[in-house]
Amino acid sequence: MPLSWVEIDLAALRHNLLQVRKRMSARTQIIGVVKSDAYGHGMLPIARELVSGGVHFLAVSKFWEAQELLVAGIRHPILVLSGIEPCDMEEAIRQQVRPALFRLDHAELMSRTACRLDTEAKIHLKVDTGMGRLGVPYERAPAFLDKLLALPGIKLEGILSHFAAADESDKSYSELQLSRFREVLGELAGRGHAVQFIHIANSAGLLDLPHAHFQLIRPGIMLYGSPPSQELHFPARLKPVMSLKAKILQLKDVPAGQPIGYGRTFLPEKPSRIATIPVGYDDGYPRLLSNQGQVLVCGQRAAVVGRVSMNLITIDVTHVRQAKEDDEVVLLGEQMDDRISAEEIAQTCATISYEIYCSIGRHRFKYFLNGAADL
């Protein structure tokens, strides 16, 4: 066992997937979002678990992520949410990887490539209904559809959009986006074209906008055990999938006034017992937790004192008299009756749980518990 490590609880993932199923419409299927290394949780084992759990699609951000899934033997429908670059189109078509498409020049190249290969390229048209990022602007969608539907070799399998504020308690903007999306769906129907898959709902949309489920939903953060935001009434009991743990590397007694760490930002007011933990910002533990964070030792909370450095932090365990070297420390996760959540860390750092998971998930030692598939 290394000095510090990340644990991924696949039983918790299965539990969260069940919570998704309990809240979705009977006619709806699931896109398991595994982009960005499954939010830091490990894309390949997570993808295998989700496929085993019956998700209909997997979604990634970049084509190279889709290639990793394919090389690993995961032969399942894959949607690339950021689209596919021209240099990758032929391979994507051969592998039946679907792009979220939003550029006409990409559609035309895909059409020519599919015709040359004597096959059909499946795509999902992305419509921007108010997020302001990727997508055909909804007011330009009718003209775009006229050109897209005329292209040979292209199968419009799906159409999607993305909520900008579904994680807010005020749903007025989400309802506006949904109205715009339905307008585009009406334009598509008016052209006599039906698509197999319509999708707009993310985790927040799944929970708070059941009339937006359509044929597919795209849960992301909910699968990994966190709510989309703290504003929502959250009717699902989720289990966090990721933990960050380490061992106490050294214990020392220091006198009052003895500086701790870079910059001497912590000076004990009384004789103290300080534990050094082999975790730092290289492991994704935020430097903003310097003199702010808390960890769990022997089931008790202990304060991070001094600056978080690249590979080490120091904690005050003066009150945890039973603590000893090599004891387990939980920096993210549960120990006995307490838990350090990603939401707690995120609040301290003025960020969101997504960033905490992605950062910590880059840790080089990751262990998959409760039925992990082979890497």
Side-chain angles (χ1 to χ4, degrees), residues 41-340:
H41 289 69
M43 181 175 68
L44 297 183
I46 294 292
R48 288 193 179 100
E49 201 65 51
L50 292 176
V51 170
S52 176
V55 303
H56 195 71
F57 274 88
L58 296 170
V60 296
S61 179
K62 308 292 195 305
F63 181 63
W64 65 262
E65 295 174 305
Q67 288 177 305
E68 284 195 1
L69 292 171
L70 294 167
V71 168
I74 299 174
R75 314 300 299 187
H76 208 67
I78 302 170
L79 175 65
V80 182
L81 295 169
S82 296
I84 294 173
E85 287 296 296
C87 61
D88 295 319
M89 280 189 184
E90 181 170 333
E91 182 64 17
I93 292 170
R94 289 184 186 277
Q95 297 290 348
Q96 296 188 323
V97 174
R98 285 82 158 162
L101 191 139
F102 42 83
R103 285 176 53 172
L104 187 60
D105 61 332
H106 284 186
E108 291 169 343
L109 177 58
M110 184 160 278
S111 170
R112 293 194 297 271
T113 305
C115 290
R116 175 168 55 81
L117 296 174
D118 192 26
T119 190
E120 190 175 58
K122 296 178 180 179
I123 68 159
H124 288 221
L125 175 64
K126 184 161 190 179
V127 180
D128 181 6
T129 56
M131 176 66 107
R133 300 188 312 186
L134 292 178
V136 179
Y138 73 96
E139 65 272 18
R140 300 180 192 170
F144 192 97
L145 281 169
D146 288 337
K147 296 175 181 178
L148 178 67
L149 295 176
L151 293 174
I154 296 287
K155 177 177 176 58
L156 181 56
E157 180 185 56
I159 184 168
L160 72 147
S161 190
H162 191 58
F163 285 125
D167 57 352
E168 297 176 1
S169 56
D170 181 354
K171 291 296 186 290
S172 57
Y173 194 71
S174 295
E175 294 292 356
L176 175 61
Q177 283 191 262
L178 189 56
S179 175
R180 291 169 174 173
F181 191 47
R182 291 187 186 278
E183 287 179 20
V184 177
L185 297 179
E187 292 286 347
L188 190 59
R191 285 158 174 76
H193 193 95
V195 296
Q196 187 176 1
F197 299 113
I198 300 168
H199 47 114
I200 188 173
N202 50 11
S203 292
L206 164 66
L207 292 167
D208 267 15
L209 296 162
H211 52 295
H213 287 187
F214 294 106
Q215 285 80 36
L216 287 172
I217 52 173
R218 302 191 305 267
I221 196 68
M222 184 177 174
L223 290 174
Y224 305 110
S226 282
S229 78
Q230 300 302 305
E231 287 191 35
L232 299 184
H233 168 63
F234 205 67
R237 296 186 63 181
L238 301 178
K239 295 182 178 180
V241 176
M242 179 187 290
S243 299
L244 173 62
K245 300 180 178 181
K247 297 177 180 179
I248 294 178
L249 190 59
Q250 186 180 23
L251 276 171
K252 63 177 68 173
D253 295 309
V254 302
Q258 168 68 51
I260 303 295
Y262 284 120
R264 301 177 299 162
T265 62
F266 180 76
L267 302 172
E269 296 180 354
K270 60 184 180 181
S272 300
R273 199 165 184 235
I274 301 298
T276 300
I277 312 301
V279 167
Y281 53 79
D282 178 50
D283 305 292
Y285 194 71
R287 194 169 183 268
L288 288 170
L289 293 177
S290 301
N291 293 304
Q292 298 291 326
Q294 293 190 330
V295 303
L296 298 174
V297 183
C298 300
Q300 299 182 63
R301 288 194 171 230
V304 175
V305 294
R307 285 185 182 163
V308 174
S309 57
M310 188 177 293
N311 308 113
L312 298 168
I313 63 171
T314 42
I315 62 174
D316 187 346
V317 293
T318 306
H319 61 296
V320 190
R321 296 311 304 176
Q322 68 270 41
K324 60 186 184 299
E325 290 171 350
D326 297 323
D327 274 356
E328 182 181 276
V329 177
V330 174
L331 301 97
L332 170 68
E334 186 176 10
Q335 189 182 71
M336 297 187 186
D337 297 325
D338 203 352
R339 172 177 291 279
I340 306 291

